Amino acid sequence: MGFQDATALLAYPEQLRARADEDGFLFFKQLIPREAIEEVRSRILEVLGRRGLLDRSRPAMDGIVDTEAIHRLTREEVNAYGVGVPLDIYKEVQSLESFHALAHRPELLRLFDTLLGERAFPHPRNIARVMLPHRELHPTPPHQDFIHIQGAVQTWTCWMPLGHAPRSLGGLSMLRGSHKSGRLGIAPASGAGELEAVLCNHDYEWVEGDYEMGDFITFHSLTVHKSLPNRTPGAIRLSADMRFQAASAVIEENSLKPHGPYAWEELYAGWQRQELMYYWRDQSFRLEPFQDTLKWQTDKIC
């Protein structure tokens, strides 16, 4: 099944929330200006180009790798933190002000204010996926985000491809309605997160489609989703994971930290927009620690 554009429902909050409650996700068509995506894409590809990972015979914005160069990277390097590149390269990506600014786009803040029915809080822990076509990288298995982020169950992930992402490049697929089953059992798996949801006797349908630049999908923390395999020779899949919740809701304390073994002080070096830095420090949160055992406590057992 294909995605249904929810953009028109932004004018009808009750209908927007009804579809979100029914499906567990919402897809939006070209809601983000193309130039904002192109800016972030170009900056990330500049990083990869400086590191010698791009095919110099192709335009950088095509995102085509130097195959020999990427396969010199080890399995451990490309699988660290599930982001697709070694941590020294990822640090450069995480330091990009334009990347983190995406989570503060007015289009997104208005959407999540409407969806949540109160002021939305964007987590500062944004994740960049720089998924190289490396032989040791595997598609992300079916999973629920809640076991990784915890905090408020009504946390919504916004997955935004940083460029065109047809199914052949490995976009996200959603298991429609699966959030209604609560926390599912999990098992070890290959791919980002290294855990997969145990799907048994469910009657849900997978929904997938092609993403164009400016499209994104947002989904409930319990909605099962997965990535499709990248079948485009030499192409990198760039995307951003951004998370939003009600400002009044509980939040897991790690959601206020950088993604990766870094400190905000080093990532913020050279930034110009003060409002993007430490914007959560003047707010009062109900914090809770990460519970590693929580991921094994399920609501639905096969």
Side-chain angles (χ1 to χ4, degrees), residues 44-45 47-49 51-54 65 69-71 73-94 96 127-134 136-138 192 236-239 259-262:
I44 295 177
L45 291 173
V47 172
L48 299 182
R51 296 303 189 104
L53 297 180
L54 296 185
V65 301
I70 70 162
H71 285 306
L73 299 174
T74 67
R75 182 180 188 275
E76 291 71 25
E77 286 178 311
V78 297
N79 282 284
Y81 279 78
V83 298
V85 289
L87 289 177
D88 59 330
I89 295 178
Y90 189 55
K91 181 181 178 180
E92 290 193 57
V93 175
Q94 274 289 324
L96 294 173
I127 302 174
R129 306 286 182 188
V130 188
M131 308 309 285
L132 303 173
H134 190 284
E136 295 291 348
L137 276 178
H138 302 280
I236 307 166
R237 195 205 77 190
L238 299 177
S239 63
H259 185 250
Y262 318 118

Side-chain angles (χ1 to χ4, degrees), residues 197-211:
V198 178
L199 304 176
C200 52
N201 302 320
H202 68 79
D203 56 358
Y204 305 119
E205 295 179 292
W206 285 104
V207 184
E208 61 189 53
D210 298 324
Y211 299 81

Side-chain angles (χ1 to χ4, degrees), residues 85-155:
V85 289
L87 289 177
D88 59 330
I89 295 178
Y90 189 55
K91 181 181 178 180
E92 290 193 57
V93 175
Q94 274 289 324
S95 298
L96 294 173
E97 181 177 4
S98 59
F99 168 68
H100 289 278
L102 283 176
H104 298 264
R105 292 286 313 178
E107 300 90 347
L108 293 181
L109 295 178
R110 284 195 296 267
L111 161 63
F112 289 105
D113 284 351
T114 301
L115 180 61
L116 296 167
E118 65 172 275
R119 183 174 66 85
F121 174 72
H123 290 193
R125 196 179 210 190
N126 302 308
I127 302 174
R129 306 286 182 188
V130 188
M131 308 309 285
L132 303 173
H134 190 284
R135 56 178 167 256
E136 295 291 348
L137 276 178
H138 302 280
T140 303
H143 70 284
Q144 297 173 308
D145 277 0
F146 182 77
I147 62 172
H148 299 294
I149 59 176
Q150 299 188 23
V153 175
Q154 285 293 334
T155 296

Side-chain angles (χ1 to χ4, degrees), residues 139-192:
T140 303
H143 70 284
Q144 297 173 308
D145 277 0
F146 182 77
I147 62 172
H148 299 294
I149 59 176
Q150 299 188 23
V153 175
Q154 285 293 334
T155 296
W156 286 71
T157 295
C158 171
W159 185 84
M160 184 181 298
L162 302 175
H164 298 309
R167 280 168 282 189
S168 59
L169 190 61
L172 286 200
S173 178
M174 299 285 135
L175 194 59
R176 174 179 282 158
S178 55
H179 62 302
K180 299 174 183 178
S181 290
R183 296 194 304 274
L184 301 176
I186 62 171
S190 298

